[in-house]
Amino acid sequence: MPEIVIFLLIKLVMTIVIFALWMTMVPFMIWLERKVIADIQIRIGPNRVGPFGLLQPIADALKLIMKEDITPAKADKLIYPIAPALLMVPALLAIAVIPIGGMVTIGERSFTLQIMGEYRGPNGFFVPELDAGILLSLALSSLGVYGVVLAGWSSANKYSLLGGMRSSAQMLSYELPLGVALVGPLLLASSLRLNEVVNAQSNFGIWFIIPQFVGFIIFLMSGTAEVNRAPFDLPEAEQELIGGYHTEYSSFRFAMFFMAEYLNMVTISALAVTFFLGGYRLFTDIVWLQPIWFALKLMLFLYLFVWIRGTWPRVRYDQLMALGWKVSLPLALVNLAITAIVLAYVPKRAVLVLTITSIVLITIAYYGSSYNIRRSTDMTARSGYARRHLPESEETRI
Amino acid sequence: MEITGYNVAFIAIAAMTVTSAIFVVTLPNILRSALFLMFTFIGVAGLYVLANAEILAAMQLLIYVGAITVLILFAIVLTQQLMGARITQTSRNIVLGGVAAIAVFAFIATTFVSHFSKGSDMIAAQPAVPTSDPLLMIAKMLIQPYVLPFELASFILLVAMVGAIVIAKEDKD
């Protein structure tokens, strides 16, 4: 068999396995979310179908698929059916660059557990890791906005349209801080390849969450906004928009919107793990354990997403935009500038200096932004600064 | 032409790019045109990948597909559904448009022909694999020889942004 065929076969198997893992995360996330939210709200949650209600997502999916697929009479007949797919496809493609494990060696072939990863065969057959790496992942996650806008537009329903418009503005705004927040770790790793970012963290001997704490916070915030999760779920705000862009959808097309949302959430969590929590590395370098470490760290973030949803009230539209443009983006740019200067002038002690500056920066940003946003849009009414420094009348003014 | 994986991929992607480009200018429904513009840009990104310019391809997706076409869609959706204005794509001024199209085509064609006459094989069967890190090469190019155009481009964007703010600002008479 020629080497190229073996290469393609290995990549095919890897793609199918990673794809299956990602798709399995969707029902698991639905179950986890319902259980955790129920716990937060002092309810029991699903407990009838299967042990601990574990089979509830399957029942939900069956119910959704059995429903009639309805197209509104005035909907655009070409765009309405394909809009959910336009959301789903980029969400699935974005997993291609994420490494879930290190270099595996089987006989004379070795490859990384990453769909677009490195591959070495016998006789100098070598396929390098994708150079663009994170750029491709960011580009694909920005394509999701098409599905949302077109779903909103083609439904011929003003609530759908409003949801679609809100969502596109939100996703475009938060893409910027999301991208800039990742440049800090990229500078430390001096490569766009995700595998190099993971290796750099083990070379530095420290997870990038510590020297890049500001970047981590901004990434988490913008990532939540980018995937339209609470408290940034304005595009679907049930109380005002009856579900937003997916109001008119039913049956499997409706399910696709939710699958895409959960897939994006898993992808953002995977990026956060890779960039800030040392990726697939933990304790030992036994390669077959690495996907398990990766999965454990992923669970941490997925739980965090659900926790945030259960805890925070939804922000208002002007608050959302103020947070994105007036806080996240300037902070991300300052963090980028500091990282670049530190790496240029004190590369030997970069981690130490960056850790100190990030603590200082996040403290200034926390108090500064809570004061500013409190004054203009009163978002952080419960923040320490506002409580201590603003008179009671200010607090109750809203 | 010999049938290789590269050629098949090139023809498929080029066909997709050209077909969707034709749809962009011929469809009467302007929103569908914008949708096909997205496919055109994705096709161009695919061509960049075939030319071993992965970073350029990712940039193409990020900027043209992820931001510019979305803004076009945004504008269309806002004007059509919220303002109630129907926009259709019509082909008025065929003569002037034709002249402009022919001029652009002539410019590109002469560039190609002049390159061929110099004996450089621009359309090689396989693109050259870059020897050093392409990201590093792009970075050095932007900082050293092309720093002026780079800064000029950002200056133009700044001017456009200031202009947009001036237009959007309410009159306080």
Side-chain angles (χ1 to χ4, degrees):
Chain A
M1 224 175 348
E3 187 59 29
I4 182 103
V5 178
I6 298 171
F7 164 73
L8 288 176
L9 272 178
I10 288 177
K11 287 289 175 185
L12 184 70
V13 170
M14 204 191 295
T15 310
I16 291 170
V17 170
I18 293 180
F19 175 81
L21 284 177
W22 238 258
M23 290 305 277
T24 322
M25 292 305 286
V26 174
F28 174 74
M29 267 315 287
I30 293 173
W31 175 81
L32 182 84
E33 179 151 39
R34 293 183 64 173
K35 269 293 187 192
V36 173
I37 293 276
D39 202 36
I40 289 171
Q41 296 168 349
I42 324 178
R43 293 184 287 115
I44 294 171
N47 66 344
R48 295 287 150 153
V49 197
F52 308 108
L54 265 171
L55 298 179
Q56 186 68 43
I58 300 175
D60 286 352
L62 274 176
K63 187 196 83 177
L64 271 174
I65 293 170
M66 296 294 180
K67 300 240 172 178
E68 188 188 350
D69 186 11
I70 300 167
T71 307
K74 280 191 173 178
D76 191 299
K77 294 292 176 294
L78 175 73
I79 295 172
Y80 182 81
I82 67 164
L86 282 177
L87 197 61
M88 192 76 185
V89 170
L92 281 175
L93 286 176
I95 67 180
V97 294
I98 292 165
I100 63 162
M103 192 70 100
V104 176
T105 308
I106 302 172
E108 40 187 354
R109 298 181 179 83
S110 52
F111 48 88
T112 50
L113 292 179
Q114 180 185 13
I115 297 174
M116 289 198 170
E118 202 174 298
Y119 179 90
R120 284 173 199 277
N123 306 325
F125 185 93
F126 174 62
V127 178
E129 189 183 339
L130 187 77
D131 280 319
I134 182 61
L135 280 181
L136 184 72
S137 187
L138 287 180
L140 287 168
S141 75
S142 71
L143 294 194
V145 71
Y146 280 96
V148 173
V149 173
L150 290 174
W153 178 83
S154 63
S155 296
N157 170 335
K158 62 184 167 207
Y159 298 110
S160 298
L161 183 68
L162 278 172
M165 297 319 296
R166 276 187 183 184
S167 175
S168 55
Q170 175 178 335
M171 286 164 107
L172 284 176
S173 309
Y174 276 88
E175 244 162 52
L176 279 168
L178 187 81
V180 178
L182 286 182
V183 183
L186 287 173
L187 280 180
L188 284 171
S190 66
S191 175
L192 290 184
R193 301 176 181 181
L194 271 72
N195 222 0
E196 301 281 316
V197 176
V198 174
N199 289 335
Q201 293 180 71
S202 84
N203 290 343
F204 274 99
I206 196 166
W207 289 350
F208 284 163
I209 184 173
I210 295 174
Q212 285 295 320
F213 190 65
V214 183
F216 173 72
I217 295 292
I218 296 166
F219 181 81
L220 207 59
M221 204 157 69
S222 325
T224 317
E226 184 79 6
V227 297
N228 294 335
R229 287 282 302 180
F232 303 109
D233 58 344
L234 295 104
E236 34 195 288
E238 291 89 347
Q239 293 88 338
E240 342 161 11
L241 292 180
I242 332 171
Y245 53 87
H246 53 63
T247 302
E248 296 289 352
Y249 284 88
S250 60
S251 186
F252 196 65
R253 294 189 204 287
F254 179 76
M256 276 166 90
F257 281 112
F258 273 82
M259 273 153 81
E261 182 184 319
Y262 283 105
L263 283 173
N264 278 328
M265 196 160 75
V266 178
T267 306
I268 286 284
S269 305
L271 284 179
V273 168
T274 308
F275 274 86
F276 298 102
L277 284 194
Y280 49 78
R281 282 174 194 268
L282 195 71
F283 307 131
T284 60
D285 274 347
I286 302 169
V287 78
W288 295 109
L289 279 177
Q290 286 174 344
I292 297 173
W293 302 142
F294 186 81
L296 283 178
K297 292 176 184 176
L298 197 67
M299 293 297 164
L300 208 69
F301 273 100
L302 294 177
Y303 183 82
L304 188 66
F305 268 117
V306 178
W307 188 7
I308 290 173
R309 185 189 153 185
T311 319
W312 286 71
R314 183 181 298 133
V315 299
R316 235 175 28 219
Y317 195 72
D318 55 328
Q319 296 168 337
L320 175 92
M321 284 297 160
L323 192 63
W325 290 101
K326 293 182 190 166
V327 180
S328 297
L329 187 60
L331 200 57
L333 287 171
V334 169
N335 180 49
L336 171 61
I338 289 176
T339 310
I341 291 168
V342 167
L343 277 177
Y345 291 102
V346 275
K348 293 266 166 57
R349 294 182 181 277
V351 170
L352 183 69
V353 177
L354 281 176
T355 309
I356 296 166
T357 51
S358 69
I359 292 169
V360 173
L361 193 60
I362 203 76
T363 314
I364 296 172
Y366 176 70
Y367 284 106
S369 66
S370 56
Y371 181 67
N372 267 327
I373 295 186
R374 177 71 180 75
R375 281 212 329 192
S376 57
T377 66
D378 52 76
M379 188 177 100
T380 46
R382 285 165 292 118
S383 78
Y385 191 93
R387 203 167 50 235
R388 271 179 277 111
H389 294 267
L390 293 177
E392 195 59 34
S393 58
E394 285 279 298
E395 194 92 357
T396 47
R397 179 171 53 93
I398 302 102
Chain B
M1 201 156 73
E2 145 187 45
I3 300 173
T4 59
Y6 177 81
N7 284 340
V8 172
F10 176 80
I11 289 169
I13 294 173
M16 182 194 119
T17 313
V18 172
T19 319
S20 37
I22 291 171
F23 277 130
V24 172
V25 289
T26 51
L27 284 180
N29 184 332
I30 196 162
L31 193 106
R32 288 184 186 179
S33 295
L35 200 58
F36 277 107
L37 188 65
M38 174 188 89
F39 287 118
T40 314
F41 284 145
I42 290 177
V44 174
L47 292 177
Y48 286 151
V49 171
L50 285 185
N52 261 334
E54 288 164 6
I55 291 175
L56 201 59
M59 282 298 185
Q60 167 87 10
L61 276 186
L62 200 61
I63 296 166
Y64 284 90
V65 187
I68 291 181
T69 320
V70 171
L71 278 183
I72 294 175
L73 270 185
F74 204 88
I76 296 170
V77 168
L78 270 180
T79 44
Q80 265 194 353
Q81 295 286 76
L82 292 187
M83 318 290 277
R86 298 303 299 179
I87 318 167
T88 50
Q89 177 166 275
T90 49
S91 299
R92 278 168 289 181
N93 287 333
I94 289 178
V95 181
L96 282 177
V99 170
I102 288 168
V104 172
F105 180 77
F107 173 70
I108 294 171
T110 45
T111 316
F112 265 100
V113 169
S114 65
H115 263 276
F116 273 124
S117 59
K118 276 180 203 158
S120 67
D121 48 346
M122 273 186 63
I123 307 173
Q126 295 278 337
V129 177
T131 44
S132 72
D133 191 357
L135 179 67
L136 210 65
M137 279 159 63
I138 294 176
K140 279 188 174 157
M141 286 289 186
L142 280 182
I143 291 299
Q144 286 156 355
Y146 296 110
V147 68
L148 190 67
F150 180 64
E151 292 294 329
L152 211 60
S154 54
F155 183 69
I156 291 171
L157 285 177
L158 182 70
V159 170
M161 254 162 78
V162 172
I165 291 169
V166 168
I167 293 171
K169 226 174 93 181
E170 292 170 42
D171 287 328
K172 285 189 197 146
D173 37 66

